[in-house]
Amino acid sequence: IYFTFIILSIVSCKSEEKEVKKSTTPNVPVKNPEGLKIAFYNSDSLKSKFTYVANQLNIITQKQNDFESEIKKKESKFKNFISRNEKRAQNGELSQNEIGSLQQKAQEMQQNILTFQQNKAAQIEQETIEIMGAISKKIENYASEFCKKNKIDILLIHGQGGQFGYIDDSMEVTNEFINFLNAKQKD
């Protein structure tokens, strides 16, 4: 009797396991790959041919150049201050109190340069992140519209160091996509 009971328990547990395994398998519809329309564009072309991206990257570059120029001016002013006052100290034109005061001013100038550099760099970095996010979102939205208009199921991004080692050239729509992007941006 016990032997029969144990066998029934084992059989019922195994049948429950099988039911659990069957119920966890998702039902995923599969589309016939022969019916897919797949295309790609070269991401490197966006920088040079999509005017919106080129303009935004120029804005970022100009801000970085202005920042570097501003830092150079501040550092030059600081070096001139130090040089001028070192000469005065060497010529005996300054008292100990004046030297102490000038050293304190030099430290303040140096700290101001450092603070400006950190704050402005953080600001430019944040602006760059926002601009790049806006660019990505714009391209994503336009890509969706481009694909719907041209009945493309999958639009891949191809670029150096990307995930695709090879894509047949017959699938390339870079020029068409960039022309579409520029037209949409004009609108």
Side-chain angles (χ1 to χ4, degrees), residues 14-181:
K14 286 191 177 194
S15 66
E16 287 177 18
E17 279 182 25
K18 289 179 184 176
E19 290 176 29
V20 171
K21 287 181 183 176
K22 288 180 184 176
S23 65
T24 59
T25 305
N27 184 12
V28 179
V30 177
K31 188 172 182 178
N32 182 357
E34 292 176 19
L36 286 177
K37 187 173 181 183
I38 301 172
F40 77 92
Y41 68 91
N42 285 309
S43 60
D44 296 340
S45 297
L46 293 176
K47 293 176 187 172
S48 60
K49 296 180 181 177
F50 182 21
T51 46
Y52 175 74
V53 171
N55 291 339
Q56 294 302 307
L57 293 177
N58 285 339
I59 289 170
I60 291 170
T61 302
Q62 186 60 48
K63 286 182 180 193
Q64 290 171 338
N65 290 342
D66 291 347
F67 169 62
E68 290 171 11
S69 176
E70 185 81 21
I71 290 295
K72 286 179 183 175
K73 283 182 195 175
K74 288 181 180 292
E75 287 176 343
S76 177
K77 185 177 177 182
F78 173 71
K79 287 177 184 176
N80 287 338
F81 176 80
I82 296 295
S83 175
R84 186 176 57 247
N85 286 305
E86 280 180 347
K87 286 178 185 175
R88 288 178 62 204
Q90 287 172 354
N91 291 338
E93 297 174 11
L94 300 174
S95 69
Q96 288 293 23
N97 287 341
E98 289 175 318
I99 291 173
S101 177
L102 291 172
Q103 285 175 338
Q104 185 176 2
K105 183 170 172 86
Q107 288 174 346
E108 288 173 8
M109 288 175 75
Q110 195 171 25
Q111 184 60 42
N112 288 340
I113 292 170
L114 183 60
T115 301
F116 172 78
Q117 198 170 12
Q118 290 171 341
N119 291 341
K120 193 68 173 178
Q123 178 188 350
I124 291 172
E125 182 180 1
Q126 182 61 37
E127 289 173 4
T128 301
I129 289 169
E130 289 171 7
I131 287 171
M132 297 308 287
I135 289 170
S136 293
K137 191 66 176 168
K138 187 175 292 277
I139 291 170
E140 183 181 324
N141 290 336
Y142 288 164
S144 174
E145 195 174 327
F146 178 78
C147 288
K148 288 175 184 171
K149 179 180 177 184
N150 294 289
K151 295 181 175 52
I152 296 172
D153 297 304
I154 300 172
L155 181 63
L156 304 172
I157 303 168
H158 184 57
Q160 188 174 3
Q163 296 180 358
F164 303 104
Y166 172 78
I167 301 176
D168 190 285
D169 288 341
S170 67
M171 297 169 57
E172 183 173 1
V173 294
T174 302
N175 290 332
E176 295 84 355
F177 184 55
I178 289 176
N179 290 339
F180 179 82
L181 291 172

